Structures are given as structure tokens and as C-alpha cells.
Amino acid sequence: MGIKEIVDSLSYKEKKLLIALDDMGGVATPAEIMDKGIFDLEVEVMGSASWLNIKELATIESEQAEFYSIADMQKAEQGLFERRAVDAIGAAGGSLTMEGLAEAMPNGDDKIAVGWLKRKGLADIKKDGDSKILVLTELGKKALTEKMPDELLVDRLMQAPIPKSDVDPKSIKDLIGHYGLISEDVDVKKTIRLTDLGKEVASSGIELKEEVTQVTDTLIQSGKWKDVEIRKYDVQTFAPAVYPAKKHPLSRLGAEVRKLYTDMGFTEMDDEFVEPAFWDLDVLYVPQDHPARELQDTFYLSNPSKFDLSEYGDLVDTVKEIHENGGDTGSTGWGGEWSREMAEQAMLRTHTTVNSIKYISKHPEAPAKVFSLSRIFRKESIDATHLPEFTQIEGIVIDENANFDMLISLVKEFYAKMGFDQIRIRPAYFPYTEPSLELEVFFNGKWMELGGAGIFRPEVVEPFGVKCPVLAWGFGFERLAMLKWNITDIRDLYISDIDDLKKNRTF
């Protein structure tokens, strides 16, 4: 590109900055350029400089300086905690009770001061009966007449900020420990410098003339278009990318799942995150010696540590009988002695199936179709495929004509609509459903498990008077997202990388 073509590609402000830099010897800071009255705003200077840098007519150099300054001048004027304590003890004759120091330094400052007195060796603590007395050491007595090194540094900082390189690390170490007194700041100095090409263009006789970027009817009708220069545009010149606003991918997928279920005639449900083990496990016929109840698998709460189950009346006794001997369900139960104390334990729900059984307890009548998309919690180590907090897609159908074939059809229909056409079903075991199945989809050359489903056992639903079949399923939401977008690390779904969210076309 020739000099004339380069000049023609420059905006009015770019030309102004080129000429200004040339007049100032080819190098200047934004502040120096502003002082000349050439630009009104520093952002205009840096914006023009950025474009000159892209066009290789100028460079932008950054020099970083680190320094210390006073963050709270009022605290600095009050003096260090240990200084005020030393003065108070000195005024009392070199020794002072803890109570006396508390009176001299109210609002809890005395407690902070004692820590610093001991740390710096300014005072010792001695016992006199039931009282504790602070006694100045030789170093503390010396501090009565001389300022400590860090105090001298505070005096300097109160006058002006000091570069890090000019500060004794030992002196600043204790000051940083005085919360909120000293701040560490960074000053970035930018310098704009013309390149050889920039100097050549600047000296080529650039003519400054007001530019028009948009032709209006007023400009044409008034005839002013004859006296202005129309801005030329180079379609090959770099331009910053502009990205539209969009929802987080998981929000979009959640909306898609909800729409799919509501289009199929389902109603959304949800319940509490914190539940008693009674609802999360016992009502669902999970035996009390099941590994899922272990502390290493489940988050139990310390406050509240348990729930009072008396509000559930006869249901508790019914569940107890079902676990021990099957009750009236025709089952033999799990045997042993059912523990009410275990059932009362407070916990973060481990699945959204607890939503389903609580819904059934309130709405046992058929027909019904409900779903939930909500958080669950399990004591998992965080890695590429596990999180301690994740989302589950849950659904149930209560219908007299429901059967295993209908369950398989619903599951396949859902995933087919989500874009997975190769689906297979295999037998599985869950304590609360029989028969049970696990769903797998073919992805990236292999079969991947996505969740489980089944028909609730009589031990689960008969306590609520439900005699017809209840189809139930629970699928991993994040696993669905990983498969849909070919993501190998589940943590990538929750890292708020704005750049990645902007640029990723998959989302």
C-alpha cells in the first residue's frame, strides 16, 4: 500500500494524532498530548493510537510502576494500634492492666493492640492474681521516645505514595498486616511512538479536513456536501468483532427441555433442597443400610441436624412396617429394625425423585404427568465428569393404562427430540422401581449412559393409596449438555469465561 492510500485510509482523529506526534518529536504520552489541547478526552487519544498501532504507523508502550500508598488517611492519623497502646502503658507508669488498656482503647482496638505488642516484643503479659498486666519491655520503653521504623514509613506515605523499590521490605511487612491502612497500587504509564512508516506518512503533507461519516438529506439539501470530505472505508481493514447478547448455554438447554415436556402435556414441579432422609430415602424404599446413606456419599446438615416426623402421622408407621416386613404391600420388606432416628436426619436431597414422591403424596389421583428440572447434591469429588452439585431431569406419569412399553416410548421420544436417534435400553436395578432400565445413546463411536427409569414399586406408592402404575425416570442434565455439544469436561459448563461464551458458535 502506497503513502497516498495509507493517508486516504486514516480517519480525521488518526491524522490529528499523527501530526501531533510528529510535532512532538515522534513520541509522547497521552497526558502530554492532552496538555497541548489537541484532544479533549484521553479515550480519543488511545482510540486513535490503537488504530495507528493496527496500521503499523505507531506503537503503544506500557511501563508498569508498583507503589504503596495510604488507603485510609483517618486510620493513619490515629496512629498504629501498638503506638497507642505503648503510649497508654507509658502514661500509666510502664504497666497497665488489660482492663485499663480496654478503657484507653475502646471498640475492641485493645485486643488488636495486644497482638501487635507481643509480636513486636514491646510488652510482656504478667499475672497478678486474677488480673493480667501489660508491662513494657526495654524495646517498648525505647518506643516511648522514638518512632518505630514502620511509623516513620507511615509518615512518608502520608506525604506521598512511595515506589515499592524505595521501601524496606521489613518495614512494610508489618504495615500490610494492619488491615485497611496500606494499599498496593499499580500505575501504568503508556507512551505512543511513531514507527518509521508513521514518520514518513506524517511528513507527507497530511491535510486536516473535517470528515463526514454519514450522508444525510440535510447535508445534501444545504449544499454542505461540497465543502466536507466523505470518510472512505477500507473493507479489508481490521475491525473489532461484535457479538450479540445471548443466554448461557445451560439456560437455553433448560428452556428447551421445559418446552419439550410442556409440549408433551407435562406440568413442572419442584420442592425443597433440604429434606429429611425419611422423604429422600425411606419413603422411596431405600434400605437403611444402603451405601447411598453413608457420610461419604451424602451431605448431612448440622443445623438443623434432624426433622420432627410427627407431622406425617401414620405414614411413618406405615413406612416402618414396609421396611421391616413389607406391610400390606405383599412384599417381605428388608427385615431388621427400622430406625426412626436415621429417617429424621436432615440432608441435601440426593435426587429429584423426592420431588416425585412428595407430589404423589399430595396428588395421588390418576391421570397425571409432571416433570422437574432442578438441583441435587452428592458428596462427589470434582473432576472432569463429576460435580457435588448438579441438575437432574425428573419425570413421572400416573395412569391406569401405563406400562413398561409406554415408559420406553416416552424415554426414546424425549431423547429423539433432543437430537439422539441411536438409543438403546438395558435392564437395571434401583431400590424403588421394578422393572428398571438404564438408557444409553450412541455418541462419538461408543454407547454412553444418560440415566435410569422404571415403574415405582408398590412399597413406594401404596402408602398414598395409588393402585395404578407410576412411570418414573431421572436423567443427567449436564451429561446431556456434554453429549449435545461434545464437551469433555463438565467443569467447562460452569466456568464463566465471557470470551468463550461470546465466540463459541456451538452455544
Side-chain angles (χ1 to χ4, degrees):
M1 187 183 291
I3 297 298
K4 184 178 183 308
E5 290 175 297
I6 293 174
V7 172
D8 288 344
S9 73
L10 297 176
S11 69
Y12 176 74
K13 290 180 180 177
E14 290 165 18
K15 291 176 183 178
K16 271 177 69 174
L17 184 55
L18 264 181
I19 294 171
L21 287 169
D22 192 46
D23 291 341
M24 299 172 75
V27 59
T29 65
E32 290 170 343
I33 295 169
M34 295 278 293
D35 289 341
K36 294 285 185 180
I38 300 167
F39 288 89
D40 295 326
L41 301 171
E42 185 174 335
V43 68
E44 293 178 321
V45 178
M46 291 310 300
S48 301
S50 296
W51 281 108
L52 292 180
N53 180 51
I54 291 168
K55 296 174 181 179
E56 299 183 348
L57 301 177
T59 60
I60 303 173
E61 302 166 2
S62 296
E63 184 181 345
Q64 184 171 294
E66 297 180 327
F67 57 93
Y68 295 109
S69 63
I70 297 292
D72 190 326
M73 190 60 73
Q74 185 177 356
K75 283 186 179 180
E77 290 172 348
Q78 287 177 349
L80 304 182
F81 291 106
E82 59 269 35
R83 162 54 59 195
R84 290 151 56 196
V86 164
D87 289 345
I89 298 170
S95 64
L96 184 64
T97 62
M98 289 287 195
E99 293 78 8
L101 184 64
E103 291 179 10
M105 299 180 68
N107 303 320
D109 288 359
D110 60 305
K111 294 180 175 61
I112 301 172
V114 169
W116 284 104
L117 289 172
K118 290 294 293 177
R119 180 174 174 176
K120 290 187 172 183
L122 299 171
D124 291 326
I125 301 175
K126 297 183 178 180
K127 282 190 176 181
D128 183 9
D130 294 333
S131 298
K132 290 182 179 180
I133 300 175
L134 290 162
V135 180
L136 290 181
T137 62
E138 290 302 319
L139 195 60
K141 293 174 182 177
K142 185 179 178 182
L144 289 172
T145 56
E146 295 180 12
K147 285 196 173 184
M148 293 174 283
D150 46 4
E151 286 185 293
L152 296 173
L153 182 54
V154 170
D155 290 342
R156 288 177 59 198
L157 288 168
M158 290 174 71
Q159 301 303 315
I162 304 174
K164 270 191 174 182
S165 56
D166 294 346
V167 173
D168 178 11
K170 292 182 180 179
S171 298
I172 200 68
K173 182 181 178 182
D174 285 340
L175 284 179
I176 292 176
H178 284 76
Y179 183 75
L181 181 60
I182 302 297
S183 65
E184 301 179 62
D185 303 307
V186 177
D187 181 39
V188 180
K189 180 182 179 183
K190 294 188 179 294
T191 302
I192 306 167
R193 188 184 303 273
L194 287 180
T195 62
D196 291 339
L197 179 60
K199 292 175 183 176
E200 187 178 350
V201 172
S203 60
S204 65
I206 297 176
E207 181 183 354
L208 277 179
K209 191 174 182 181
E210 186 180 354
E211 289 182 326
V212 171
T213 58
Q214 187 175 0
V215 178
T216 63
D217 53 353
T218 303
L219 189 68
I220 295 172
Q221 292 171 7
S222 65
K224 287 184 179 179
W225 62 271
K226 300 176 184 178
D227 304 318
V228 298
E229 186 171 316
I230 306 298
R231 176 82 167 94
K232 293 180 181 179
Y233 290 96
D234 182 359
V235 293
Q236 296 181 335
T237 298
F238 165 81
V242 177
Y243 300 97
K246 49 186 147 179
K247 291 182 179 179
H248 190 281
L250 288 182
S251 297
R252 292 167 60 186
L253 182 61
E256 187 178 343
V257 169
R258 286 186 169 93
K259 184 177 187 304
L260 194 155
Y261 272 116
T262 52
D263 286 350
M264 292 169 66
F266 283 74
T267 302
E268 187 168 5
M269 62 173 172
D270 203 359
D271 218 294
E272 302 296 334
F273 287 169
V274 176
E275 296 283 0
F278 178 74
W279 280 107
D280 191 272
L281 298 166
D282 292 276
V283 174
L284 289 169
Y285 198 53
V286 177
Q288 293 197 326
D289 59 356
H290 194 281
R293 293 181 183 258
E294 297 296 329
L295 194 62
Q296 63 264 28
D297 292 325
T298 301
F299 288 109
Y300 288 101
L301 276 62
S302 57
N303 186 22
S305 61
K306 65 178 184 177
F307 284 89
D308 182 5
L309 302 182
S310 58
E311 64 177 290
Y312 304 120
D314 294 341
L315 177 62
V316 179
D317 295 330
T318 302
V319 170
K320 177 180 184 296
E321 288 182 14
I322 289 173
H323 274 255
E324 291 180 350
N325 54 50
D328 298 329
T329 64
S331 167
T332 59
W334 299 116
E337 186 176 346
W338 183 81
S339 169
R340 185 186 183 103
E341 185 178 348
M342 285 186 67
E344 290 176 336
Q345 289 177 296
M347 61 191 293
L348 291 175
R349 67 185 184 194
T350 59
H351 47 197
T352 47
T353 312
V354 66
N355 292 352
S356 298
I357 196 60
K358 291 186 79 174
Y359 180 88
I360 290 171
S361 71
K362 298 171 185 174
H363 311 280
E365 61 279 353
K369 295 196 295 185
V370 293
F371 80 98
S372 72
L373 179 64
S374 194
R375 293 283 187 185
I376 63 173
F377 310 87
R378 292 180 190 169
K379 208 165 186 180
E380 302 272 11
S381 297
I382 298 176
D383 57 31
T385 57
H386 296 89
L387 292 172
E389 177 184 346
F390 52 101
T391 307
Q392 193 168 39
I393 305 168
E394 175 84 12
I396 58 170
V397 171
I398 310 173
D399 196 290
E400 292 180 357
N401 299 313
N403 54 42
F404 201 61
D405 287 340
M406 180 188 291
L407 175 62
I408 292 173
S409 297
L410 282 168
V411 169
K412 286 186 173 182
E413 177 72 9
F414 172 77
Y415 277 102
K417 288 180 178 294
M418 295 304 297
F420 300 99
D421 52 359
Q422 294 189 61
I423 302 168
R424 76 179 184 186
I425 304 296
R426 62 184 179 87
Y429 169 76
F430 302 107
Y432 36 85
T433 56
E434 181 61 38
S436 304
L437 65 86
E438 282 185 345
L439 170 79
E440 293 179 336
V441 298
F442 193 73
F443 180 77
N444 274 354
K446 61 180 179 180
W447 290 97
M448 304 279 289
E449 181 192 340
L450 280 184
I455 300 178
F456 274 144
R457 295 175 61 137
E459 295 94 331
V460 175
V461 296
E462 284 196 12
F464 307 106
V466 179
K467 298 295 183 181
C468 62
V470 179
L471 313 181
W473 58 89
F475 305 135
F477 179 64
E478 286 83 0
R479 176 63 67 87
L480 174 64
M482 291 172 72
L483 292 175
K484 195 173 179 65
W485 297 316
N486 198 18
I487 294 171
T488 58
D489 194 323
I490 194 171
R491 291 168 292 193
D492 291 344
L493 293 169
Y494 290 103
I495 295 174
S496 299
D497 188 329
I498 298 297
D499 235 22
D500 188 51
L501 290 171
K502 283 180 179 177
K503 295 176 182 177
N504 199 315
R505 296 182 181 181
T506 302
F507 297 162

